[in-house]
Amino acid sequence: MIRPEILLLVLGMTLVTYLPRLIPFVFLKADRIPERWRSLLGHIPHAALGALLIPGCINGVAGNPVASVAGIAAAGLVLWFKPNILLAMVAAVVAALSFIEG
Amino acid sequence: MRVSGQSRKERTLAQRVRHHRGALFTGVAEGLPIFVGYFPVAVAFGLLAKSAALSFGEAGLFSALVFAGASQFIAVNLLASGVGIGSIIVTTFLINSRHLLLSTAVAARLHGTRRLFPMAAFGVTDETFAIATTRSEPYGTPYLMGLNTTAWLGWLSGTLAGFLAGGFMPSKLQAALGILLYVMFLGILMPQVRKDLRVLAVAGLSGVIHWALRATGWLPDGWALVCAILVSVALIDGLKGRSRKA
């Protein structure tokens, strides 16, 4: 069952989310972007990841900053030696679990 | 003559299909960590949707069409507290306008059929953008579609699974799985940091600015993120420009 007002809400949210996603694809030609701008754009993902990690990762395990930091630290340790995200995920969950009570 | 011409054409077509299929699979493979990272977060969204009295179909519709994590959580929260549809849509726009930035970076390195661009654009998220733009080689639409679709499937299937079966998962494990999203971010960033320490400077600076902005509460969350990204990139670029002149 999908209520009409929820459908309206989802369609409205879809529109305002999709348009910013679409516009650069339509109006941008990769080989026409100047070198300087390309280098700037290259830094954007690193900045975005930094901002997503700090301060968010403190709340990876909701309401438990100690478990969150333990998990992220374990993942960081694994990733430093081996660039294997899935392995780091296992390490992080095991480390976080050992700091969650109950 | 005609026959040999045709077979040459077929061969190149077959080669092209094989080439595209390879790129598609590369995208799917690189999307798997995103699938794993999204799934538990989407489970949490499914749980929230259920507790906010949305139906199974409505929860699925959110994840299938909007496909933007933070804004979905916020929207369902607002909906549950009785906020009108119009303000929820405006809030969503503020949070998700940062996709302009992400899409610009993704599109800047994209080659291939422009006809498929509208479909590829639909799947741009913080995570697919991060994987695609930190690759060493440029990519085409088949790669991007493979990457995006894998991520989208993780988000949608996690939402539905959370709605249906979230109650069965031990709450301790459910809490621990929340860390996966951040492990994914770190996993993307770390190889870049090892290659070039300036990456650490940009990421760290952006994180500190974001933290400060969130602490002051001057800006809505989505704008704090946009602001942190723009300011840190501009600062690093300015420093680079100065050291080049010196």
Side-chain angles (χ1 to χ4, degrees), chain B residues 31-43 63 67 147-162:
Chain B
L32 281 179
I34 308 185
F35 186 106
V36 176
Y38 274 181
F39 194 87
V41 184
V43 164
S63 287
F67 188 36
L147 182 76
N148 293 353
T149 307
T150 308
W152 181 80
L153 282 175
W155 186 244
L156 181 60
S157 61
T159 302
L160 300 179

Side-chain angles (χ1 to χ4, degrees), chain A residues 1 18 21 36 47 51 80, chain B residues 55 67 103 118 194 206 210 237:
Chain A
M1 239 281 291
Y18 182 56
R21 279 173 171 157
R36 182 181 161 82
W80 185 257
Chain B
S55 70
F67 188 36
S103 269
R194 294 207 57 170
S206 173
H210 188 226
D237 185 66

Side-chain angles (χ1 to χ4, degrees), chain A residues 61 64-71 92-102, chain B residues 172 176:
Chain A
V61 181
N64 193 335
V66 178
S68 307
V69 170
V93 169
V94 171
L97 272 177
S98 61
F99 284 94
I100 300 175
E101 285 165 34
Chain B
K172 195 177 161 181

Side-chain angles (χ1 to χ4, degrees), chain A residues 45-60 68-69 71-73 75-76 79, chain B residues 126-127 130 178-191 193 199-200 202-204 206-208 210-211 214 225 228-229:
Chain A
H46 309 136
L49 288 168
L52 287 166
L53 273 163
I54 307 171
C57 76
I58 291 285
N59 274 316
S68 307
V69 170
I72 276 292
L79 287 168
Chain B
D126 294 307
E127 294 76 20
I179 199 76
L180 291 184
L181 189 69
Y182 299 98
V183 175
M184 180 174 62
F185 295 149
L186 197 64
I188 299 167
L189 199 54
M190 199 69 110
V193 170
V199 171
L200 188 65
V202 180
S206 173
V208 170
H210 188 226
W211 196 349
R214 291 287 290 268
L225 189 68
I229 293 170

Side-chain angles (χ1 to χ4, degrees), chain A residues 19-40:
Chain A
L19 282 181
R21 279 173 171 157
L22 177 67
I23 288 166
F25 277 78
V26 176
F27 292 105
L28 220 65
K29 281 219 168 84
D31 43 10
R32 285 206 202 144
I33 301 172
E35 186 52 45
R36 182 181 161 82
W37 277 97
R38 248 185 275 188
S39 128
L40 262 176

